[in-house]
Amino acid sequence: MSGTTSTLPGASDAPAPTTPHPRRWLALAVIAISQLMVVLDATIVNIALPQAQADLGISDADRQWVVTAYTLTFGGLLLLGGRIADYWGRKRTFGVGIVGFALASAIGGLAQTGGLLFAARALQGAFGALLAPAALALLTVLFTEARERAKAFAVYGAIAGGGSAVGLVLGGVLTEYADWRWCLLVNIPIAAVALVAAIPLVPESRAHGDTRYDIPGAVVVTAGLVSLVYGFTKAAEDGWDAAATIGFIAAGLVLLAVFVLIELRSSHPLLPLRILLDRNRGGAYLASMLIGAGLFGAFLFLTFYFQVVLRYTPVKAGLASLPVTLGVLVAAGVASQLLPRIGAKPLMLAGAVLAAGAMLSLTRIGLDTSFVAHLLPAQVVLGLGLGFTFVPLSSLALVGVPEHDAGAASATLNATQQVGGSLGTALLNTMYTSAVAAYLVGRMPDPLTQAKALVHGYTVAFAWGAGLILLSGLATLLLIKVRKEDLATTNAVHLG
């Protein structure tokens, strides 16, 4: 689920050229290729993870770092990446992001240890945090006419939505018929094509004005999040009452508190706190974080259930995961029609109930659960819940936001999803490993018991995921008071 929202830093303050760029549609194709690379990377790696874990000898407690190392650096550095693109030059930042992403993919694809794979994934996230906002800011500069801009962002959005489905299938094909490493190495030719085409086709642009960056804020918030996730990982290994667990979690919370203080005192904050303090936007960001927390880990465990317990091949596992994407696409279309009529809150509440219900349905899985009778409808309903939730979230993120804060507000929404996914994946993986260990206590470790223990761990993780999604619904119910009439005012700054 790595991706971008429809507006990012730089998207609102880019100076509009007086005449349209003559090669803007070719430039759109280049930018779309780069977006496809980033979106593919999220789902393609999930399908490859069971084989990568076995090949590199990664423990169950540590395997979540393949996901969280990426989402932490991407989410933590996204806002800074947007400002760098604004002031350093969007084309230059775009090019550096492509090259860095490709190099990081090469390191990950050639990694011989779990630690090197985790580091490569973190590097991918860091360069993705440069690439994504630069790409969207370039689209805003290139397409200044309203109708053309709508078409351009429709293409970009289709890549973001359909790319995850392509990643599931491509990940299965590469893992099964080549090697899991190609799920990372495939980024190299894609990046090469995008870079070679970008040099002549994509114009340079930059924002004018003060060019100071909030480097301390970016470093402190990322360090705090890493410390929290590492604390959750230590809980899986040593227990919640272990000194290391408590120490890392406490350090993470302290660093996040320091981040708030830095933002309050900074003249150019990474995250202007006025964006968060509005009741509706704050509720939207909290709901976004909780949904991300509940879902990222769930997708990870569904992949392992398909391949480890049901013995699906990687290709079959990729195809078996597609119903979620189908549900999202259907619900997103319906939600976009209903949003102006009934407002954001009813859609988000319905989405939370549907998604949580689907997750609870997944707690009923067993050693030989029917795909058609159980797993297929559960995934479709889960996708419907996501679609009904994410569409109104994009609008709520911009309710009442001044135009100069529009990029930061929308990027914050994306960052909360990534950060929530990082924390949730680590937390759910800890609950999973603890549940498996508890199930095996006093039982003979024969293959059947081992399989039952894995299924028990997955169901516990799904139950926790459902709880986090219900908490997002509670946040929506209590905090979001925006009327449907108020959402219309976001159209002036919302670029999607």
Side-chain angles (χ1 to χ4, degrees):
M1 299 199 44
S2 298
T4 54
T5 52
S6 55
T7 316
L8 281 167
S12 60
D13 57 3
T18 54
T19 57
H21 192 275
R23 291 174 292 185
R24 60 193 180 279
W25 294 107
L26 290 173
L28 170 62
V30 175
I31 293 169
I33 290 172
S34 72
Q35 169 68 359
L36 178 62
M37 179 178 67
V38 174
V39 173
L40 279 175
D41 195 68
T43 50
I44 203 172
V45 170
N46 266 10
I47 296 298
L49 186 50
Q51 282 74 10
Q53 181 183 0
D55 192 17
L56 299 181
I58 301 170
S59 70
D60 283 353
D62 285 339
R63 69 185 178 193
Q64 49 86 18
W65 284 108
V66 177
V67 176
T68 55
Y70 177 89
T71 53
L72 276 174
T73 52
F74 184 82
L77 299 176
L78 184 63
L79 285 158
L80 178 63
R83 299 331 292 171
I84 290 173
D86 282 345
Y87 297 129
W88 195 45
R90 289 153 188 145
K91 179 178 180 178
R92 182 186 298 177
T93 306
F94 180 77
V96 170
I98 289 176
V99 173
F101 200 91
L103 289 175
S105 299
I107 294 171
L110 299 174
Q112 298 300 312
T113 65
L116 188 56
L117 178 60
F118 304 154
R121 291 287 287 160
L123 272 178
Q124 279 187 308
F127 284 109
L130 290 176
L131 179 59
L136 274 173
L138 283 168
L139 282 190
T140 309
V141 172
L142 288 166
F143 295 93
T144 56
E145 194 271 323
R147 188 169 299 178
E148 283 197 348
R149 177 177 286 178
K151 290 180 181 179
F153 276 96
V155 171
Y156 195 88
I159 292 289
S164 59
V166 174
L168 291 169
V169 178
L170 183 60
V173 170
L174 290 173
T175 301
E176 187 168 341
Y177 296 110
D179 188 85
W180 68 266
R181 297 178 182 278
W182 278 102
C183 292
L184 290 163
L185 296 175
V186 71
N187 289 327
I188 298 171
I190 297 175
V193 170
L195 181 64
V196 170
I199 293 171
L201 295 176
V202 176
E204 182 61 282
S205 70
R206 55 173 53 87
H208 302 284
D210 199 324
T211 59
R212 281 180 287 176
Y213 306 120
D214 182 15
I215 301 291
V219 172
V220 169
V221 71
T222 304
L225 293 170
V226 169
S227 185
L228 271 182
V229 169
Y230 193 69
F232 291 157
T233 304
K234 295 300 288 183
E237 299 172 347
D238 305 333
W240 288 100
D241 57 350
T245 302
I246 296 171
F248 279 107
I249 292 176
L253 294 174
V254 169
L255 285 169
L256 292 179
V258 171
F259 169 70
V260 172
L261 293 177
I262 291 173
E263 300 310 281
L264 286 172
R265 298 183 179 187
S266 175
S267 59
H268 292 76
L270 184 70
L271 175 59
L273 294 184
R274 60 181 176 272
I275 292 175
L276 298 179
L277 295 178
D278 174 84
R279 177 176 186 155
N280 292 299
R281 291 195 301 273
Y285 295 138
L286 179 59
S288 172
M289 183 174 291
L290 288 168
I291 290 169
L295 290 172
F296 275 57
F299 290 138
L300 178 67
F301 293 116
L302 200 55
T303 296
F304 274 88
Y305 175 66
F306 284 147
Q307 296 189 54
V308 176
V309 176
L310 298 184
R311 299 293 181 183
Y312 286 4
T313 65
V315 170
K316 189 175 181 180
L319 292 171
S321 302
L322 288 179
V324 176
T325 303
L326 174 64
V328 170
L329 294 176
V330 171
V334 174
S336 63
Q337 298 298 316
L338 292 178
L339 184 61
R341 301 177 187 175
I342 66 174
K345 189 170 184 176
L347 285 173
M348 290 178 63
L349 289 174
V353 170
L354 286 171
M359 295 283 278
L360 289 174
S361 174
L362 290 173
T363 65
R364 309 289 295 175
I365 59 174
L367 294 178
D368 56 355
T369 300
S370 167
F371 179 80
V372 173
H374 192 148
L375 296 169
L376 173 62
Q379 288 187 89
V380 171
V381 173
L382 179 59
L384 291 173
L386 295 184
F388 283 129
T389 302
F390 286 137
V391 169
L393 271 177
S394 298
S395 294
L396 281 175
L398 293 172
V399 169
V401 176
E403 185 172 354
H404 64 273
D405 281 341
S410 193
T412 300
L413 177 65
N414 194 29
T416 57
Q417 291 170 4
Q418 300 295 327
V419 168
S422 305
L423 298 175
T425 299
L427 178 62
L428 295 186
N429 195 62
T430 294
M431 296 306 170
Y432 160 82
T433 53
S434 300
V436 170
Y439 186 91
L440 291 173
V441 172
R443 291 183 169 93
M444 291 293 293
D446 57 84
L448 180 60
T449 302
Q450 291 278 3
K452 288 181 177 179
L454 294 178
V455 172
H456 175 66
Y458 299 145
T459 60
V460 168
F462 290 139
W464 274 86
L468 291 168
I469 293 172
L470 287 175
L471 282 178
S472 79
L474 184 62
T476 299
L477 182 66
L478 296 179
L479 295 176
I480 294 176
K481 303 295 182 184
V482 68
R483 301 169 301 171
K484 61 182 181 181
E485 295 83 4
D486 297 327
L487 294 178
T489 64
T490 67
N491 292 338
V493 292
H494 193 261
L495 300 175

